[in-house]
Amino acid sequence: MDKSSLIYPLFVREGTNLEEEIPSMPGQYRYTLDRLPYKLEELSNAGVGSVLLFGIPDKKDERGSGAYDDNGIVQKALRVSKERFPELYYITDVCMCEYTSHGHCGLLCGHDVENDSTLELLAKTALSQVQAGADMVAPSDMMDGHTRAIRKLLDENGYKNIPIMSYAVKYASSFYGPFRDAAGSAPSFGDRKSYQMDFHNSREGVKEALLDVEEGADLLIVKPSLAYQDMITRVAERTNIPVAAYSVSGEYAMVKAAAANGWIDEERIMCEMAVGAYRAGAQLYITYFAEELAKCMDEGKIG
């Protein structure tokens, strides 16, 4: 456990001079491009070297075209960030839900998400992000075959050394609520249970992880973290590549709400949650508490 394993999720949006606090995630903000460098400087000074970028576009459409637009919000954020803080490591979320008018993670046929036709757009999104400066791509859409499609297109365009960190084990969880508020990505109808995993099922998670390794994933994510540490362990034991645990928005919001009411010690809970994920087998930890955990590591309170 050290600061190099921490990854901070960061929301970027269109506009100017805005640091817009997310109501359900106190202390977390949506940053416009002119305010983004101030946050990156804070992270760099804290010793948090990796960020995971999520984009919030001004306009959405049925095909989620803002995701693979070379002038999209994430692509612009990468250029700004790379110029100002080239020492940081930039990971980009590859998905359609923030960009589609219907809020689902792929193209629709009626009310069903079309897996295969979505793959081409996911690969285009990853390529566009890498061309803009992404150091790693992280597909979170849960379409079957997404890792293979992305790997193929990146390789064909000369990006064989860009790693893929796949959301291999992503459950259809109620812990995501605040994130959907933050990213404006709640589905306009139905839910995502047809392509995210049933949280009753542990065998499917291992199966999906092994398939992603076979397709060329370089790292795997288990999401959420707190209630799924058994899956972190299972995936870490069955695969030979690094595993990241994503401590999601609902976990963060619960800690913040309870701490605000004086019911828990926020720092101790935050550290204990992190230790649990590492103990379960995670080698990387994606968390909104990254800065605070880095400080605790410096002070010898964790690690």
Side-chain angles (χ1 to χ4, degrees):
M1 293 173 58
D2 60 54
K3 292 187 289 187
S4 67
S5 65
L6 297 171
I7 300 171
Y8 182 71
L10 190 54
F11 300 96
V12 292
R13 57 155 294 169
E14 300 283 4
T16 56
N17 199 32
L18 289 175
E19 290 185 17
E20 184 178 52
E21 189 167 25
I22 300 160
S24 56
M25 299 177 68
Q28 301 301 311
Y29 297 83
R30 307 176 188 96
Y31 297 92
T32 52
L33 297 183
D34 55 334
R35 301 302 302 173
L36 177 60
Y38 295 98
K39 184 60 182 179
L40 295 175
E41 184 175 23
E42 279 184 18
L43 293 166
S44 182
N45 290 340
V48 177
S50 300
V51 296
L52 174 56
L53 291 174
F54 295 91
I56 305 164
D58 267 352
K59 297 179 181 178
K60 305 185 180 192
D61 57 43
E62 288 192 355
R63 295 182 62 82
S65 58
Y68 45 89
D69 185 342
D70 290 339
N71 201 36
I73 181 59
V74 166
Q75 288 81 351
K76 290 189 290 188
L78 283 165
R79 296 184 190 105
V80 169
S81 301
K82 279 282 194 176
E83 182 178 351
R84 295 289 300 276
F85 295 93
E87 74 277 8
L88 295 179
Y89 193 83
Y90 297 96
I91 308 165
T92 50
D93 176 68
V94 178
C95 194
M96 312 297 292
C97 63
E98 297 110 303
Y99 303 92
T100 54
S101 52
H102 44 75
H104 280 281
C105 298
L107 298 179
L108 294 182
C109 179
H111 278 190
D112 296 321
V113 174
E114 280 203 333
N115 188 100
D116 292 356
S117 59
T118 299
L119 296 180
E120 179 184 354
L121 299 186
L122 293 169
K124 283 179 62 177
T125 299
L127 177 60
S128 175
Q129 293 171 345
V130 170
Q131 289 172 334
D135 297 301
M136 179 191 290
V137 293
S140 63
D141 54 278
M142 292 301 288
M143 298 296 114
D144 292 337
H146 64 184
T147 300
R148 179 179 288 113
I150 291 169
R151 183 76 276 157
K152 181 174 184 292
L153 190 61
L154 291 180
D155 287 357
E156 288 173 352
N157 284 270
Y159 296 106
K160 294 182 179 181
N161 294 326
I162 294 292
I164 298 173
M165 180 167 65
S166 175
Y167 288 68
V169 187
K170 181 179 178 181
Y171 284 94
S173 171
S174 297
F175 281 98
Y176 304 149
F179 175 90
R180 291 171 183 173
D181 175 31
S185 62
S188 60
F189 64 88
D191 54 41
R192 296 178 179 141
K193 291 181 179 178
S194 64
Y195 44 97
Q196 294 179 359
M197 287 189 288
D198 182 350
F199 59 79
H200 299 86
N201 191 334
S202 61
R203 287 178 294 181
E204 184 185 12
V206 173
K207 175 185 174 184
E208 292 288 346
L210 294 173
L211 283 172
D212 272 11
V213 173
E214 185 181 320
E215 290 181 14
D218 301 282
L219 307 93
L220 302 171
I221 296 176
V222 176
K223 179 183 179 183
S225 171
L226 187 61
Y228 297 85
Q229 292 187 6
D230 62 317
M231 293 309 304
I232 298 171
T233 300
R234 289 187 183 211
V235 172
E237 288 177 345
R238 292 290 303 275
T239 61
N240 61 355
I241 60 175
V243 176
Y246 194 150
S247 183
V248 299
S249 59
E251 298 171 40
Y252 175 88
M254 289 192 301
V255 172
K256 283 291 186 180
N261 279 285
W263 297 337
I264 61 170
D265 182 318
E266 179 177 325
E267 185 178 88
R268 288 186 177 184
I269 291 285
M270 169 191 75
C271 291
E272 191 172 334
M273 288 167 57
V275 169
Y278 288 109
R279 188 186 62 240
Q283 292 155 286
L284 299 165
Y285 193 47
I286 306 168
T287 174
Y288 301 96
F289 284 119
E291 278 185 87
E292 294 89 338
L293 285 169
K295 181 181 177 183
C296 288
M297 290 175 178
D298 283 340
E299 295 173 352
K301 296 176 181 178
I302 182 175

